């Protein structure tokens, strides 16, 4: 049987974007969906605030439109957020929240929410500002055993037996489809479905919009 290993969807999530105020709402939404899928609903609010402050720091001190990267990952019992930008000179400054100065207060908020777990790493021609939020190390993937996940696993099982190279198909119930191979199979399934929709006169873009709306609504119910 082919199946996705438990919590395989918790591999690091990386998203490239242009640092500008109009991007913040989408970034918060995507981060929220990612954390709900990881079973980390309790961390959503704090993570959104910290991420917003890190991105706002780039906007204010490096410049609007700066090419940036958001990376979200689990680091042991901590949820780690990283924002990378190409300016190695504009380093964040920690001021007290009561300071009259506007600049620097964001990192004080991050410092409080993360219990002082944040820092800066300069890497060649870029820098990474990171922070970590404590999580329950034993928390389970919130949606792993849901019926729709079980159905999707069965579809990937069938599709994989048709499409994956023989050497990639595990044998026996103890085997698990790795996250990369599972994602490859999922892309194949969805692409084939879009081909089918197009061949039968449906608008794939319209269907994708409806799927996204339905998916977000279900995640909201889980949260």
């Amino acid at each position: 049987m082919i199946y996705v290993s438990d919590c395989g969807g918790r591999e690091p999530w990386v998203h490239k974007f242009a640092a500008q105020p109009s991007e913040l709402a989408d970034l918060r939404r995507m981060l929220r969906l990612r954390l709900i899928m990881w079973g980390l609903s309790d961390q959503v609010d704090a993570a959104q605030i910290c991420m917003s402050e890190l991105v706002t720091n780039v906007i204010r001190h490096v410049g609007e439109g700066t090419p940036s990267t958001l990376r979200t990952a689990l680091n042991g019992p901590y949820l780690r957020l990283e924002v990378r930008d190409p300016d190695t000179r504009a380093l964040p400054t920690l001021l007290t929240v009561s300071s009259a100065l506007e600049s620097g207060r964001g990192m004080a908020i991050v410092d409080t929410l993360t219990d002082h777990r944040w820092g800066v790493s300069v890497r060649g021609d870029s820098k990474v500002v990171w922070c970590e939020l404590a999580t329950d190390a034993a928390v389970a993937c919130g949606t792993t055993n849901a019926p729709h996940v079980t159905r999707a696993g069965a579809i990937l099982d069938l599709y994989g037996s048709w499409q994956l190279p023989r050497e990639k198909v595990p044998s026996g119930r103890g085997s698990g489809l790795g996250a990369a191979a599972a994602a490859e199979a999922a892309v194949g399934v969805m692409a084939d479905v879009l081909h089918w929709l197009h061949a039968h006169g449906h608008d794939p873009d319209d269907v994708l919009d409806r799927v996204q709306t339905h998916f977000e609504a279900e995640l909201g119910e889980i949260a």
Side-chain angles (χ1 to χ4, degrees):
M1 177 179 180
I2 298 174
Y3 63 95
V4 180
S5 301
D6 289 345
C7 297
R10 283 179 160 190
E11 292 191 351
W13 172 57
V14 178
H15 177 71
K16 294 183 178 181
F17 64 98
Q20 49 194 15
S22 60
E23 288 288 317
L24 285 173
D26 281 343
L27 288 171
R28 284 192 290 266
R29 179 182 61 82
M30 288 187 288
L31 179 60
R32 174 180 177 274
L33 293 176
R34 181 66 50 172
L35 297 186
I36 291 174
M37 286 191 291
W38 285 0
L40 299 175
S41 299
D42 290 345
Q43 281 71 39
V44 167
D45 290 344
Q48 287 181 320
I49 293 172
C50 288
M51 181 276 298
S52 296
E53 294 298 344
L54 297 184
V55 174
T56 298
N57 242 21
V58 176
I59 295 171
R60 287 178 177 170
H61 302 296
V62 182
E64 289 193 25
T66 298
S68 306
T69 303
L70 170 65
R71 182 179 185 273
T72 307
L74 286 177
N75 181 27
Y78 294 96
L79 171 66
R80 185 179 179 94
L81 305 172
E82 299 179 355
V83 173
R84 179 192 294 264
D85 71 73
D87 193 325
T88 59
R89 298 166 300 171
L91 303 181
T93 302
L94 177 62
L95 301 177
T96 62
V97 177
S98 60
S99 171
L101 296 177
E102 180 71 18
S103 176
R105 294 184 62 185
M107 293 313 299
I109 295 173
V110 171
D111 185 66
T112 299
L113 290 174
T114 62
D115 195 24
H116 317 302
R117 293 186 66 90
W118 69 275
V120 185
S121 300
V122 177
R123 304 174 181 176
D125 58 354
S126 66
K127 74 170 180 294
V128 173
V129 183
W130 60 268
C131 65
E132 292 184 336
L133 292 161
T135 70
D136 179 357
V139 70
C141 292
T143 60
T144 298
N145 296 319
H148 45 264
V149 176
T150 301
R151 290 195 297 270
I155 293 171
L156 290 179
D157 184 7
L158 181 61
Y159 189 88
S161 66
W162 287 341
Q163 298 293 335
L164 288 179
R166 183 172 299 274
E167 64 272 13
K168 290 187 178 182
V169 179
S171 60
R173 293 186 61 85
S175 301
L177 185 63
E184 181 181 345
V187 169
V189 169
M190 290 185 281
D192 284 354
V193 170
L194 292 179
H195 281 298
W196 185 93
L197 290 167
H198 180 72
H200 287 78
H202 299 283
D203 182 356
D205 287 336
D206 177 61
V207 174
L208 285 174
D209 288 341
R210 290 163 57 193
V211 168
Q212 181 70 17
T213 299
H214 186 73
F215 174 64
E216 292 182 6
E218 288 188 337
L219 286 182
E221 293 175 1
I222 293 171

